[in-house]
Coordinates of all heavy atoms in Angstrom, one line a residue:
Chain B
C23 N 11.5 13.6 3.3 CA 10.3 12.8 3.2 C 10.4 12.0 1.9 O 10.7 12.6 0.8 CB 9.1 13.8 3.1 SG 7.6 12.9 2.6
Y39 N 1.1 23.4 15.0 CA 1.7 24.2 16.0 C 1.1 23.8 17.4 O 0.0 23.2 17.5 CB 1.3 25.7 15.8 CG 1.9 26.2 14.5 CD1 1.1 26.4 13.3 CD2 3.3 26.5 14.4 CE1 1.7 26.9 12.1 CE2 3.8 26.9 13.2 CZ 3.0 27.1 12.1 OH 3.6 27.6 10.9
L46 N -2.6 23.0 6.5 CA -1.8 22.8 5.3 C -0.7 23.8 5.1 O -1.0 25.0 5.2 CB -2.7 22.8 4.1 CG -2.0 22.6 2.7 CD1 -1.5 21.2 2.6 CD2 -3.1 22.9 1.6
A53 N 4.7 15.8 -10.8 CA 6.2 15.8 -10.8 C 6.8 17.1 -11.2 O 6.3 17.8 -12.1 CB 6.6 14.7 -11.7
S72 N 10.6 11.6 -3.6 CA 10.8 12.4 -2.4 C 10.1 13.8 -2.5 O 9.7 14.2 -3.6 CB 12.3 12.7 -2.3 OG 12.8 13.5 -3.4
D84 N 8.6 28.9 14.0 CA 8.5 27.7 13.1 C 8.5 26.5 14.0 O 8.3 25.4 13.4 CB 9.7 27.7 12.1 CG 9.6 28.8 11.1 OD1 8.5 29.2 10.7 OD2 10.7 29.2 10.7
A91 N 2.6 14.1 3.7 CA 1.5 13.3 3.4 C 1.3 13.2 1.9 O 1.7 14.0 1.1 CB 0.2 13.9 4.1
G96 N -7.2 6.1 -4.0 CA -8.4 5.4 -3.8 C -9.5 6.3 -3.2 O -10.6 5.9 -3.1

Side-chain angles (χ1 to χ4, degrees):
Chain B
C23 171
Y39 297 105
L46 179 65
S72 64
D84 294 327

